Amino acid sequence: MSFRIGDDGIARCAWVGADAEYARYHDEEWGRPLHGDRALFEKMSLEGFQAGLSWITIIRKRPRFREVFDGF
C-alpha cells in the first residue's frame, strides 16, 4: 500500500489524494469498527447506494441520505 504526506504533514493512504472530505473520512472513520444498529445499518445502506459510484460521491451525499432517511 502506498502512502502520501498531506499538506498538514499527516501520512495517509494514497487513495485520499488532496480531497479534504476524503482526508477527514480517512482520519476519523476508515478502518474503524462500527457499533450499534444505526451505524451498521447506515453503512450497509450507503454501500448499497454506492454500486457503480465512487465512495467519495457517497460520502459527499451522506448528509442528504441522513436527511431523507430520517437519520437511518
Side-chain angles (χ1 to χ4, degrees):
M1 176 169 285
S2 60
F3 295 94
R4 179 180 180 274
I5 305 298
D7 294 338
D8 56 6
I10 296 175
R12 295 182 180 91
C13 298
W15 55 261
V16 173
D19 188 281
E21 185 62 20
Y22 241 0
R24 186 212 56 77
Y25 175 77
H26 179 277
D27 295 350
E28 298 174 13
E29 298 182 57
W30 184 73
R32 304 236 164 113
L34 293 174
H35 303 284
D37 293 343
R38 193 213 54 81
L40 292 169
F41 181 71
E42 177 180 332
K43 183 71 169 201
M44 287 175 23
S45 298
L46 293 175
E47 290 281 353
F49 281 106
Q50 189 257 340
L53 302 172
S54 67
W55 188 242
I56 191 62
T57 299
I58 298 303
I59 295 299
R60 289 181 179 145
K61 293 184 180 295
R62 183 166 45 177
R64 181 70 176 139
F65 278 114
R66 286 177 175 160
E67 181 181 335
V68 298
F69 290 114
D70 195 27
F72 288 93

